[in-house]
């Protein structure tokens, strides 16, 4: 460990932060692909017949629902002809936890920096899947609306739960997941900063 | 470690639950957000007379551009994260209060910087505004909370003595 680990860490974060964010943005199509694939399969299991497909268009998520308007303007499922209710969602609003975590990992003085980074990326994936799943469910529940809720027999309580899941997945999880993963994987660094913490680690 | 993380998650879960309650939103969060808008507006009028605030909205009187401070942009979530981390960490109570006070100043100071920067960025470029608003500032505010926490644990009472004696042994 270095003489001034905290100073070095803070400087490292300042250096790596713009770099990881740049890489994250330009490679969005690639790192969002597995999340989109898994989320699509998950949503199809949780709410069958509600989703036609889920795809990436650059860094935007395109959701084609299995709903459309009939001749009277009512929302029906399956859609009539090509009139499908579709939505564009921005998955980067909860995916920013990935470059934040990467910057933290790269800035931490550790012999296991690269393996920690790899583990961090693996561990952050489920949180992104959670966020994307609830983002899709929220769109179907509140933007497709009553037709979707009727099709899936979603009660008002379940709709509230979906809204809460969306709030957690968008507001809370992207902020705390990188911090928790970083703390969990960098025990040595934290002990070096605060040797007193040894007692709490041994519990 | 597990104890710290569990306690951290528990405190955070409870506080976020409380924050989302309608009475708390009405009595605490919305007034606080309005205060933030007023303070940022007041700071901006020091160098820009064309700024007006109304409730949680900061507006330019020249071009009509406005920003509304919404949940997730008022620093409350970052404050809750820091509060949960400090509460979960084994430290003297008074030192915890000191950490919370400095954390509040650091997070809300950074948040005022966010609001002011976004207000002018939005008038200059919508694309840059979106980028800064949706991704960069969110991460920076969390980084701010993390740095406060790390500085706080670094200077725990008795810590320097322990560090020095550990270095002497080494």
């Amino acid at each position: 460990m270095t003489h001034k680990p905290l100073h070095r860490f803070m400087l490292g974060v300042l250096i790596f932060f713009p770099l990881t964010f740049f890489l994250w943005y330009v490679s969005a199509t690639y790192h969002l692909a597995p999340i989109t694939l898994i989320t699509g399969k998950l949503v199809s299991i949780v709410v069958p017949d509600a989703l036609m497909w889920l795809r990436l268009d650059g860094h935007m998520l395109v959701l084609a629902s299995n709903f459309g308007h009939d001749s009277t303007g009512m929302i029906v499922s399956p859609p009539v002809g090509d009139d499908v209710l579709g939505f564009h969602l921005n998955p980067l609003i909860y995916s920013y936890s990935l470059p934040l975590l990467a910057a933290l990992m790269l800035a931490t003085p550790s012999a296991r920096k690269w393996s920690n980074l790899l583990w961090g990326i693996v561990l952050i994936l489920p949180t992104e899947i959670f966020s994307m799943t609830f983002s899709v469910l929220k769109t179907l529940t509140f933007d497709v609306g009553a037709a979707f809720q009727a099709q899936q027999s979603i009660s008002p309580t379940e709709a509230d739960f979906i809204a809460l899941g969306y709030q957690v997945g968008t507001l809370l999880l992207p902020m705390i997941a990188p911090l928790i993963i970083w703390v969990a994987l960098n025990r040595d660094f934290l002990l070096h900063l605060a040797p007193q913490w040894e007692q709490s680690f041994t519990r | 470690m597990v104890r710290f993380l569990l306690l951290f998650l528990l405190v955070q879960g409870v506080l976020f639950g409380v924050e989302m309650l309608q009475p708390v939103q009405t009595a605490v969060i919305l007034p606080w957000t309005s205060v933030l808008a007023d303070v940022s507006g007041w700071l901006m009028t020091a160098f820009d007379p064309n700024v007006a605030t109304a409730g949680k909205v900061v507006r330019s009187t020249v071009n009509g551009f406005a920003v509304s401070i919404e949940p997730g942009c008022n620093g409350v979530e970052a404050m809750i994260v820091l509060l949960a981390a400090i509460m979960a960490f084994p430290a003297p109570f008074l030192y915890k209060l000191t950490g919370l006070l400095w954390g509040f100043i650091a997070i809300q100071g950074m948040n005022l910087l966010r609001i002011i920067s976004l207000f002018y960025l939005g008038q200059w470029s919508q694309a840059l505004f979106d980028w800064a608003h949706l991704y960069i500032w969110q991460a920076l505010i969390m980084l701010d909370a993390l740095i406060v926490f790390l500085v706080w644990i670094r200077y725990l009472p008795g810590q320097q003595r322990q560090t020095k004696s550990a270095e002497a042994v080494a």
Side-chain angles (χ1 to χ4, degrees):
Chain A
M1 287 287 175
T2 52
H3 176 56
K4 289 187 171 177
L6 191 54
H7 291 78
R8 194 189 146 172
F9 171 74
M10 281 155 61
L11 183 68
V13 169
L14 281 177
I15 292 165
F16 286 115
F17 187 84
L19 184 71
T20 55
F21 265 80
F22 172 75
L23 288 173
W24 161 79
Y25 191 75
V26 296
S27 66
T29 310
Y30 302 102
H31 64 76
L32 289 170
I35 296 154
T36 306
L37 186 75
I38 295 166
T39 302
K41 300 239 181 283
L42 204 60
V43 171
S44 297
I45 294 166
V46 176
V47 284
D49 305 323
L51 190 69
M52 198 175 279
W53 48 257
L54 195 63
R55 284 179 203 156
L56 281 169
D57 179 18
H59 69 260
M60 291 303 282
L61 188 68
V62 185
L63 184 167
S65 74
N66 202 27
F67 294 82
H69 293 101
D70 67 5
S71 54
T72 63
M74 286 279 290
I75 295 175
V76 292
S77 181
V80 181
D82 292 333
D83 183 24
V84 173
L85 273 177
F87 303 91
H88 280 82
L89 310 173
N90 182 1
L92 295 181
I93 59 168
Y94 40 79
S95 171
Y96 71 82
S97 54
L98 183 63
L100 176 59
L101 177 68
L104 291 174
M105 291 295 190
L106 291 170
T108 309
S110 166
R112 296 191 303 271
K113 185 181 292 199
W114 296 103
S115 66
N116 280 351
L117 177 63
L118 202 63
W119 273 111
I121 292 167
V122 168
L123 290 169
I124 207 103
L125 277 178
T127 70
E128 288 193 62
I129 291 163
F130 177 95
S131 300
M132 192 182 277
T133 300
F134 273 97
S135 172
V136 169
L137 287 175
K138 188 273 289 183
T139 304
L140 290 168
T141 307
F142 299 102
D143 295 343
V144 173
F148 168 76
Q149 292 182 36
Q151 183 204 50
Q152 300 296 328
S153 308
I154 289 173
S155 65
T157 308
E158 285 169 329
D160 285 345
F161 175 76
I162 288 166
L164 180 68
Y166 172 74
Q167 290 266 41
V168 169
T170 308
L171 275 181
L172 178 59
L173 213 49
M175 289 201 304
I176 64 160
L179 304 188
I180 290 172
I181 292 167
W182 179 77
V183 166
L185 292 174
N186 287 287
R187 191 188 136 135
D188 293 348
F189 177 65
L190 290 165
L191 282 176
H192 185 68
L193 284 183
Q196 280 185 346
W197 208 356
E198 186 90 58
Q199 307 145 12
S200 72
F201 274 130
T202 53
R203 281 174 210 168
Chain B
M1 173 62 153
V2 174
R3 185 174 169 273
F4 167 79
L5 284 176
L6 286 176
L7 201 54
F8 169 71
L9 286 171
L10 178 73
V11 174
Q12 195 164 245
V14 169
L15 289 174
F16 269 107
V18 168
E19 188 217 350
M20 283 180 185
L21 295 171
Q22 202 50 54
V24 176
Q25 284 285 329
T26 309
V28 181
I29 307 298
L30 272 174
W32 169 248
T33 310
S34 295
V35 167
L36 266 181
D38 288 339
V39 173
S40 54
W42 176 75
L43 285 170
M44 283 185 271
T45 49
F47 57 86
D48 182 357
N50 306 310
V51 176
T53 62
K56 56 180 185 174
V57 176
V58 184
R59 190 173 50 86
S60 165
T61 55
V62 173
N63 56 25
F65 178 85
V67 291
S68 174
I69 306 164
E70 295 297 329
C73 299
N74 51 19
V76 171
E77 287 78 12
M79 239 356 263
I80 286 174
V81 171
L82 181 67
L83 194 148
I86 286 176
M87 285 300 148
F89 195 87
F93 184 71
L94 263 179
Y95 190 68
K96 287 186 181 194
L97 284 183
T98 309
L100 287 174
L101 178 69
W102 283 110
F104 177 83
I105 293 166
I107 289 169
Q108 292 306 336
M110 185 77 114
N111 204 44
L112 284 170
L113 196 62
R114 161 162 68 176
I115 293 161
I116 294 167
S117 70
L118 288 175
F119 180 72
Y120 289 105
L121 210 53
Q123 293 176 71
W124 183 47
S125 161
Q126 184 63 42
L128 273 178
F129 171 87
D130 288 341
W131 233 87
H133 172 228
L134 295 172
Y135 322 129
I136 298 295
W137 269 115
Q138 294 292 88
L140 280 176
I141 295 284
M142 269 333 290
L143 265 180
D144 190 27
L146 177 67
I147 297 294
V148 169
F149 178 69
L150 293 178
V151 170
W152 181 77
I153 64 168
R154 181 69 173 158
Y155 295 102
L156 266 169
Q159 195 87 276
Q160 278 94 331
R161 231 178 305 120
Q162 279 201 30
T163 310
K164 276 176 186 162
S165 59
E167 281 170 0
V169 169

